[in-house]
Amino acid sequence: QLQVVESGGGLVQPGGSLTLDCAASGFTLEYYAIGWFRQAPGKQREGLSCISNSDGPTYFSPSVRGRFTISRDNGRNTVYLYMGNLEPDDTAVYYCAVRFLPDCSQFDEVYSVWGQGTQVTVSS
């Protein structure tokens, strides 16, 4: 089966950092665009970042640009989201998703396979 699984969430203090993993199985991740999204209670899903295929660019939303970094390890078939200088407003469930084309897209409907999500809570 085609799937991605997020992990690495947890409780962190403001100003702290976390790295989330998006591990793929059933396909080779390196050829496709991988997006990170989050959804807080009562809020719409928000696109955060995307990494294009191996030679493509990366993208970040204004809310996380300069604080978050996206990367991939093709040998592990995994994409990572490093989150630094976390704020309480970053509290949400974080998802990764796959677009089976090489380029990123701003439209979440074109991402075909989604993970189950991992909870990130930023609180003192």
Side-chain angles (χ1 to χ4, degrees), residues 11-53:
L11 176 65
V12 63
Q13 292 184 328
S17 62
L18 285 173
T19 298
L20 305 182
D21 306 343
C22 176
S25 61
F27 67 100
T28 300
L29 181 151
E30 69 176 298
Y31 304 116
Y32 307 114
I34 309 298
W36 282 97
F37 303 81
R38 69 185 179 191
Q39 189 163 24
K43 303 294 184 181
Q44 291 186 315
R45 186 164 58 209
E46 176 188 10
L48 302 176
S49 184
C50 182
I51 185 167
S52 301
N53 74 347

Side-chain angles (χ1 to χ4, degrees), residues 39-96:
Q39 189 163 24
K43 303 294 184 181
Q44 291 186 315
R45 186 164 58 209
E46 176 188 10
L48 302 176
S49 184
C50 182
I51 185 167
S52 301
N53 74 347
S54 294
D55 295 325
T58 59
Y59 299 90
F60 298 92
S61 71
S63 63
V64 304
R65 189 177 298 123
R67 298 190 296 125
F68 291 14
T69 300
I70 191 169
S71 62
R72 62 169 79 232
D73 184 337
N74 292 330
R76 298 186 64 185
N77 212 25
T78 299
V79 166
Y80 302 94
L81 183 70
Y82 167 79
M83 307 184 297
N85 196 23
L86 286 162
E87 305 166 354
D89 284 349
D90 294 318
T91 296
V93 177
Y94 284 70
Y95 301 89
C96 68

Side-chain angles (χ1 to χ4, degrees), residues 2 49 52 54 96-97 105 109 111 113 120 124:
L2 309 178
S49 184
S52 301
S54 294
C96 68
S105 173
E109 67 183 3
Y111 292 85
V113 175
V120 173
S124 59

